[in-house]
Each structure stands twice: as structure tokens, then as C-alpha cells.
Amino acid sequence: MTHDHLAAPDRGASRPFGRLLTAMVTPFTDDGSLDLDGAVRLAAHLVDEQGNDALVLNGTTGESPTTTDAEKESLIRAVVEAVGDRARIVAGVGTNDTRHTIELAASAEKAGAHGLLVVTPYYNKPPQSGLLRHFTAVADATGLPIMLYDIPHRAGVAIATDTLVRLAEHGRIVAVKDAKGDLTATSWVLSRSDLAYYSGEDALTLPTLAVGGVGLVGTSTHFIGAPAKQMIEAYDVGDTATALSLHRRLLPLFTGIFRTQGVILVKAGLAAQGLPAGPVRLPLADATADELAQLRADCAAAGLELPE
């Protein structure tokens, strides 16, 4: 097996992190502590069985708001050692404090991460000038390629088109996880930069590809990574009929995984499959019986049987 996609990305790389990435949940033991053995098993499943080209660790789906800096570093080290020879490991390091983000970036780089996911600073709602300086400072402080994460409905502020175009001039800012839900804005950025755009909303993957995107950073892809990747590959070779058919087939789970906070349903579904997951940490709450039943129905509608 070759690992050409693990070559160091360059500015002109059209897919610096491959086609399919999953924002991996962080498995915990029953008492809520970090389950590194479980994380290694889950990462191998996502890469070897679900076809992921890369994994995002320590994102919101990884419960980054409630894991410590030391836990984040330990998780990166363990997963890089387990699957880093056959998948890119992208570390979520974004916070609403530039100094802390730079510290997390340095820690992730030291732990062996191949790239960084840096979310828009949340809650303090910086102006665009602040966003430009924040992302530039992080990019200046690391040697790793960076994927910006534009998610205004959580961060409270969007990364404006002009800001994204200016950030694209930085040699290490190579990609965007796009959860803005504004394909017009996405189109403008893609027409004015060479940033690689990954859909940050599972159900918008195919529309994002249609305006020049390259792939998906998914949540439902814990379960349907293989057909989601098939959809992307079908579009790539011009088989839009197959891509559309897969989009429609997978739509119930693309959307259903977000009936409540995504990590809650992912962990419930993984547990049903006998895969490592464990409980969520407060303030999240584990899935109810009704939520799990609805997840089973959504999985069935997407062609996946979730064990009872």
C-alpha cells in the first residue's frame, strides 16, 4: 500500500488532507477518563474500515471544550503512533485566546500531528482585523499546514470573504473547513484563492463539491465514511448521477446525526456497534432511549443497520 497522500502538502496541493476526514469523538472510560486504547482502536476502524484519508482530533466532536491540554497531547501521540503512517492526523487547536491557541499548536506539532484545525475565536466576537491577526499569528508560530474552521453559528462571527482571501496568502494556511452554509460566499473565496475547501456540514458535501470544494470533514462518517467517500470520488470522475444518488441515500444520516449535539449520537451509535466511545462529559448528556431509537431509524433510512 502506498501513502502518497502523506507527502508534505504544498501551496498548490489541491487536496492537502485528502478527500475524506472524520472529526473523531474522544473515547472515555465508564468513569469519564480518557480511553487511549479505545481511541487507537476507533482511529484504526475509521481509517481501515471507513476509508478516511485523515482524522481530526480534539475538535468539538472530540469534546475539546472539556478535555485538558495534557489529554489533547496524549490523544494525538497515541493516534499518530497507531495510524499516522496511513492517514493524516489533524489536531484541533483553536480557542478564543490567541496565546493559548499557539501553545496548543506547539504541543500538537511536538506530538506528531500532520496539520492543524483552527476555529474562529468564539464568544468574544473579534472584528475581522482581529481574526486576520489571530490566524496569522498561529500560522507564523507553527511549521504545520493549517485548515481554518469557519463556523459562524457557533463562533458568533464569520470569517469574511476578504479576510479569507488575505489569509490564503500565508504559505501555511492551505484549507478551510466550511460550516458557514453560504455557498455564494464559498464560491467567491474559491474564485479568488487556491484554498482547499472541505465541507463542514455533511449534507452540503455534494453542493460544496459543485462550486469547487474538495472533500468533507464529517461527523456521520463515523458510520458511513465509505459511501461518503464513494460519493466524492464519483463526483471527481464526472459521474454526477452516482454522486447524487449517494447524496440522497445518505441524507437521512447526514442530517440525523445532528438531531442533538453530534457527539452524543455518534457515541451512542458506536456503543451499539461495540466500538469504543464511552460517555460524554458534562455539560453534554448521553443519548436517551428515544434518541437512540431515532438514530437507528435514521441509519436504516441511509442503508445502515445499527445493532440492537
Side-chain angles (χ1 to χ4, degrees):
M1 181 178 177
T2 62
H3 306 297
D4 294 342
H5 64 292
L6 291 180
D10 57 59
R11 269 318 273 131
S14 59
R15 286 188 181 85
F17 303 105
R19 289 179 173 88
L20 178 70
L21 302 82
T22 289
M24 192 179 97
V25 299
T26 301
F28 299 133
T29 60
D30 289 343
D31 67 1
S33 58
L34 183 62
D35 180 5
L36 286 180
D37 290 340
V40 164
R41 286 172 50 210
L42 179 58
H45 170 77
L46 292 174
V47 172
D48 300 332
E49 304 299 326
Q50 293 292 342
N52 281 276
D53 301 309
L55 300 175
V56 174
L57 305 181
N58 299 326
T60 311
T61 307
E63 295 180 77
S64 59
T66 57
T67 58
T68 67
D69 291 2
E71 286 175 327
K72 289 176 172 67
E73 183 171 345
S74 296
L75 180 66
I76 295 166
R77 287 188 185 279
V79 174
V80 167
E81 183 176 349
V83 300
D85 63 331
R86 56 195 188 275
R88 285 197 172 284
I89 304 304
V90 181
V93 299
T95 73
N96 59 355
D97 174 357
T98 305
R99 285 180 295 179
H100 189 203
T101 299
I102 289 172
E103 290 170 3
L104 289 174
S107 173
E109 187 167 10
K110 183 180 176 184
H114 303 119
L116 305 175
L117 179 71
V118 185
V119 72
T120 315
Y122 38 83
Y123 193 74
N124 43 13
K125 297 185 77 170
Q128 293 300 311
S129 59
L131 294 184
L132 186 66
R133 291 176 62 187
H134 171 81
F135 290 122
T136 300
V138 178
D140 284 345
T142 184
L144 296 178
I146 287 174
M147 179 187 293
L148 305 175
Y149 188 6
D150 189 10
I151 182 165
H153 64 273
R154 285 201 181 190
V157 60
I159 313 175
T161 297
D162 288 346
T163 306
L164 284 161
V165 172
R166 289 181 66 184
L167 288 167
E169 297 170 4
H170 197 291
R172 282 182 291 280
I173 296 177
V174 300
V176 177
K177 179 183 177 184
D178 181 20
K180 187 180 284 181
D182 183 348
L183 290 172
T184 302
T186 297
S187 299
W188 277 114
V189 176
L190 285 168
S191 73
R192 295 171 56 193
S193 77
D194 61 354
L195 289 169
Y197 258 67
Y198 292 84
S199 178
E201 297 188 39
D202 299 25
L204 287 183
T205 304
L206 186 57
T208 300
L209 294 175
V211 298
V214 300
L216 166 65
V217 180
T219 302
S220 64
T221 48
H222 282 85
F223 308 107
I224 50 173
K229 188 173 186 180
Q230 184 184 354
M231 178 186 73
I232 296 166
E233 291 174 339
Y235 186 86
D236 280 350
V237 298
D239 186 358
T240 54
T242 294
L244 181 58
S245 175
L246 285 163
H247 165 77
R248 289 173 174 167
R249 180 186 127 198
L250 301 176
L251 201 54
L253 200 52
F254 279 164
T255 57
I257 204 71
F258 300 110
R259 288 181 185 271
T260 183
Q261 213 273 8
V263 62
I264 294 171
L265 293 182
V266 169
K267 283 196 163 182
L270 290 173
Q273 292 181 321
L275 288 165
V280 296
R281 287 180 176 174
L282 286 169
L284 299 183
D286 291 317
T288 65
D290 286 347
E291 287 170 338
L292 181 55
Q294 181 62 62
L295 177 62
R296 283 200 172 92
D298 291 333
C299 284
L304 174 70
E305 183 179 352
L306 196 63
E308 290 287 342

